[in-house]
Amino acid sequence: MNYWNYFTNDLKLKKKMRTYKNLRFDDDKSTIHLMQTLSRPDISVKSYRNTFYEIGKALGLLLNKKTNGNYGNTMLACASEDADWLAHGVLDAISQKKVSLAVFWNERVTLDSETNLEYSPIIKSFVEEIKDCKTLILVKSIISTSCVVKTQLNRLINDISPKKIYIVAPVMYKYAEKSLKREFTADIAEKFEFITFAIDSERDKVHGIIPGVGGMVYPKLGLGDMHNKNRYMPEIVKERIGPIANKN
């Protein structure tokens, strides 16, 4: 399937398949182009990584508007495969420069293929300390079944008790927000604010969300399959471990 055929430079393409959010055609052409580039079937690993980084910066700038730059004590959480590109872009763009980092290595286990019921256990993690957390920013390349996001949130919410939770992804499936909110009590779900550039309505078992982010993220980032990607140690984690190691 050629994902590029789903695109046009005209936002009127929506046709129940994709609805752009937080973007204006005249003002945000560069971000729209990045979103289209992300789904090209012939994109190189280098370009795919760079595109995610640039989209991360655009999402970070949008977060600044949503928060009015008032973040308070902040933690950014992400999956290991998103750390060096998408999450790094968000970190570089947000006005809050002192941010604790949480990175999770998740597996995905299908419990029921008919209902797409999945479980995403955390097999390892890197979580920096934070006190009196006001803002939790959870970054994900694409949110479909929400199982990874749910697992990460369950891990963090009880530990850091954030007052506001921004769930940030370039692309989300149309039912993802509702599905995720159902997994939490009302007092937690009301803390959520979803930040995205596109809501996609098409999904199948082979290609996942269409057009989504052009297919399976891990191989397109050059990290291998679902299991191999968990061997990757993000550079952003290495940088933060360095000062800790030097102190010990």
Side-chain angles (χ1 to χ4, degrees):
M1 179 180 294
N2 187 344
Y3 288 100
W4 191 248
N5 289 337
Y6 283 106
F7 287 104
T8 178
N9 289 327
D10 188 345
L11 288 182
K12 293 180 181 179
L13 174 65
K14 294 177 182 178
K15 290 184 181 178
K16 300 182 180 179
M17 183 181 299
R18 165 161 286 184
T19 302
Y20 284 97
K21 305 280 287 186
N22 299 305
L23 294 173
R24 296 181 179 180
F25 184 71
D26 291 332
D27 299 332
D28 301 299
K29 288 182 179 178
S30 61
T31 302
I32 294 167
H33 176 70
L34 288 168
M35 292 293 291
Q36 294 176 341
T37 301
L38 201 63
S39 297
R40 289 180 56 182
D42 58 343
I43 190 170
S44 68
V45 168
K46 182 178 180 180
S47 294
Y48 196 71
R49 290 176 172 184
N50 184 65
T51 300
F52 258 130
Y53 174 74
E54 294 298 331
I55 289 174
K57 289 202 299 184
L59 287 166
L61 293 175
L62 179 57
L63 266 170
N64 289 336
K65 294 179 182 179
K66 297 287 186 179
T67 63
N68 293 314
N70 183 21
Y71 289 92
N73 292 344
T74 302
M75 171 173 278
L76 183 144
C78 64
S80 59
E81 63 270 16
D82 294 323
D84 278 341
W85 302 289
L86 182 65
H88 194 177
V90 173
L91 281 171
D92 282 353
I94 60 175
S95 57
Q96 177 72 17
K97 294 308 177 186
K98 186 177 181 181
V99 178
S100 296
L101 180 67
V103 177
F104 298 100
W105 287 255
N106 291 79
E107 290 186 339
R108 295 178 75 104
V109 179
T110 301
L111 301 176
D112 189 331
S113 59
E114 293 298 322
T115 62
N116 290 319
L117 180 62
E118 293 183 321
Y119 172 54
S120 295
I122 295 170
I123 61 172
K124 57 184 176 181
S125 62
F126 170 83
V127 182
E128 293 182 321
E129 183 179 0
I130 187 171
K131 295 180 179 179
D132 302 319
C133 180
K134 178 181 178 182
T135 304
L136 172 61
I137 304 168
L138 197 149
V139 177
K140 189 75 174 63
S141 54
I142 186 167
I143 302 179
S144 176
T145 62
S146 302
C147 64
V148 172
V149 173
K150 179 183 72 173
T151 303
Q152 294 174 358
L153 284 173
N154 277 324
R155 170 72 178 271
L156 290 171
I157 286 173
N158 291 333
D159 292 339
I160 68 174
S161 301
K163 294 179 175 61
K164 182 70 177 180
I165 301 171
Y166 292 96
I167 299 168
V168 180
V171 181
M172 292 177 54
Y173 184 52
K174 63 179 179 178
Y175 297 126
E177 178 176 341
K178 186 181 294 185
S179 174
L180 187 62
K181 284 183 174 180
R182 282 201 303 262
E183 298 291 339
F184 295 89
T185 57
D187 61 316
I188 298 299
E190 68 184 9
K191 297 181 180 182
F192 295 169
E193 183 168 347
F194 293 81
I195 308 292
T196 189
F197 287 141
I199 302 293
D200 286 352
S201 60
E202 298 292 327
R203 184 173 72 182
D204 65 37
K205 293 181 179 180
V206 177
H207 301 100
I209 295 178
I210 303 171
V213 291
M216 186 68 73
V217 169
Y218 324 128
K220 292 180 79 72
L221 285 170
L223 303 179
D225 62 18
M226 192 177 302
H227 303 292
N228 289 331
K229 61 96 176 177
N230 281 330
R231 299 173 185 170
Y232 177 71
M233 176 61 69
E235 293 299 322
I236 196 171
V237 174
K238 292 180 184 178
E239 291 170 2
R240 298 203 177 203
I241 288 175
I244 297 172
N246 290 334
K247 288 181 180 180
N248 294 332

